[in-house]
Amino acid sequence: MTKSDTQSSQAIGPDTGIAARLSSFAASQIGRLAIITALIFVAMTVLSPERFLSTANMTSMAFQFPEFAILALAMMLAMLTGGIDLSVIGVANLSAICGALTLSTLAGVSATGLDAGLIIVLAIVIALTVGLLAGLINGIAIGHFGLPPILATLGSGLVFTGLGVAITGGSAVIGFPGGFSMIGNGRFIGIPVPVIIFAVLAGAIALMLNRTGYGTRIMLLGANPLAARFSGMNDLRITIRSYMMGGALAATAGLVIMSRANSAKADYGSSYLLLTVLICVLGGINPYGGFGRIAGLVLAVLSLQFFSSGLNMLQVSNFAREFIWGALLLVVMVVNSSMLTGNRR
């Protein structure tokens, strides 16, 4: 190699490397999602820059998306094991109702100070315990009795919702101490508290999935349950733990919704179920189990939040929105299935 060739290689090499990395990133699933998210953001900005980029709209989105994003985390854990959790809304509402009854009975609107704080902590513990027990029931039904996850969680979700209606008579539970509103409506150093809660939970789950043996076992169970069983893995324990974690996440989402609405009711968030499934599929979570990344889920949450905000600005009805989410879910699954088939060939 001549001196001029070496100089030329040194001059072109770094640029070529950066271009190759950018091209590789754009071709990856996360890269495509990032591009889609950016395109939706730009499109909504062009359609209505004054309303979409307004401080009020950005604040509204920041307080709204953590509710269904945390539910999507619960759905993701079930999907990674090769299952699905259609009971997340029922678990969230039942947990919130139990927490709400604790707050309204033991504290009330006028409670302040240390007593109110202790009762708020007690209500949170009770709600999370209800979520864990609901997840335990799902895990046993699926892992021990071998019920199909879609049927087991559909049935348990109806049971949890029915329990919520039976406890409250279908009415909303109200009358919480003022300090509880901090969870759903407060800010910490300028950042909405629900966003902080979601970021902490997403980071913890990403750490668990990517850095622990338990995360690896969840992926292996979802990828090949038979091989996982023959390798000596305790698939029942992994299934139960995964659904219990999902139950706790659903309960957390229920607490956030309850705090934001300043009430708890058995039918809150009913439109979130389809949205959580769509977020997981759009985010690259394999519906057959074994693969998924938190980064994909976060990008899917942002893209759908931007899209939903745009539909609000265009005054699209809730019925039309359900149609759009359902159609989008089908399109994404068809595209993913076609790409998977193409890769196998």
Side-chain angles (χ1 to χ4, degrees):
M1 182 179 292
T2 65
K3 184 177 179 180
S4 61
D5 291 338
T6 304
Q7 290 174 340
S8 175
S9 174
Q10 289 173 344
I12 295 173
D15 292 338
T16 305
I18 293 172
R21 282 196 291 271
L22 287 175
S23 176
S24 175
F25 176 73
S28 67
Q29 190 169 36
I30 297 297
R32 287 196 299 272
L33 261 174
I35 292 171
I36 291 172
T37 305
L39 288 175
I40 292 175
F41 184 87
V42 171
M44 296 307 163
T45 301
V46 171
L47 282 174
S48 183
E50 294 179 356
R51 295 177 63 186
F52 185 73
L53 294 179
S54 67
T55 304
N57 187 49
M58 291 295 167
T59 303
S60 174
M61 287 195 291
F63 278 101
Q64 186 179 16
F65 82 80
E67 295 176 358
F68 54 81
I70 296 172
L71 288 170
L73 289 175
M75 186 69 75
M76 175 186 182
L77 287 178
M79 280 190 172
L80 287 177
T81 64
I84 192 169
D85 190 350
L86 300 183
S87 70
V88 288
I89 306 299
V91 175
N93 285 326
L94 181 60
S95 304
I97 286 170
C98 292
L101 288 173
T102 305
L103 285 175
S104 61
T105 304
L106 299 181
V109 180
S110 58
T112 57
L114 181 60
D115 290 343
L118 290 175
I119 294 172
I120 289 173
V121 172
L122 176 63
I124 292 172
V125 171
I126 288 175
L128 292 177
T129 303
V130 171
L132 286 169
L133 289 175
L136 176 65
I137 292 171
N138 284 335
I140 290 175
I142 295 165
H144 182 71
F145 292 104
L147 300 183
I150 189 170
L151 297 181
T153 55
L154 179 63
S156 65
L158 292 174
V159 170
F160 300 144
T161 301
L163 283 174
V165 173
I167 292 171
T168 62
S171 303
V173 182
I174 58 175
F176 312 143
F180 185 70
S181 65
M182 183 71 183
I183 295 175
N185 300 297
R187 295 172 185 268
F188 181 71
I189 56 173
I191 304 172
V193 172
V195 174
I196 296 174
I197 294 173
F198 170 66
V200 170
L201 292 174
I205 292 177
L207 194 65
M208 184 267 291
L209 292 175
N210 299 322
R211 301 290 182 183
T212 68
Y214 181 69
T216 304
R217 288 193 285 274
I218 288 178
M219 298 290 190
L220 288 175
L221 177 64
N224 194 328
L226 190 61
R229 195 170 299 128
F230 280 111
S231 69
M233 285 172 47
N234 190 332
D235 57 332
L236 175 60
R237 182 179 299 176
I238 295 171
T239 301
I240 290 176
R241 283 186 179 179
S242 299
Y243 279 89
M244 287 182 72
M245 282 191 286
L249 288 166
T252 305
L255 288 169
V256 173
I257 295 171
M258 168 183 154
S259 175
R260 222 165 69 86
N262 201 29
S263 61
K265 199 163 180 272
D267 61 354
Y268 280 171
S270 55
S271 62
Y272 285 166
L273 183 58
L274 175 60
L275 193 57
T276 55
V277 176
L278 176 59
I279 287 169
C280 289
V281 174
L282 183 63
I285 316 300
N286 188 352
Y288 303 106
F291 178 78
R293 296 171 66 181
I294 288 292
L297 185 140
V298 171
L299 287 170
V301 166
L302 292 177
S303 62
L304 288 179
Q305 179 59 67
F306 295 153
F307 193 42
S308 177
S309 180
L311 294 178
N312 276 335
M313 291 185 301
L314 298 174
Q315 298 183 338
V316 176
S317 71
N318 288 333
F319 299 109
R321 202 170 304 184
E322 293 285 321
F323 168 81
I324 292 171
W325 295 149
L328 191 57
L329 175 62
L330 289 175
V331 169
V332 172
M333 291 188 70
V334 168
V335 170
N336 287 345
S337 178
S338 301
M339 292 179 66
L340 185 63
T341 304
N343 290 336
R344 284 175 179 170
R345 289 174 181 171

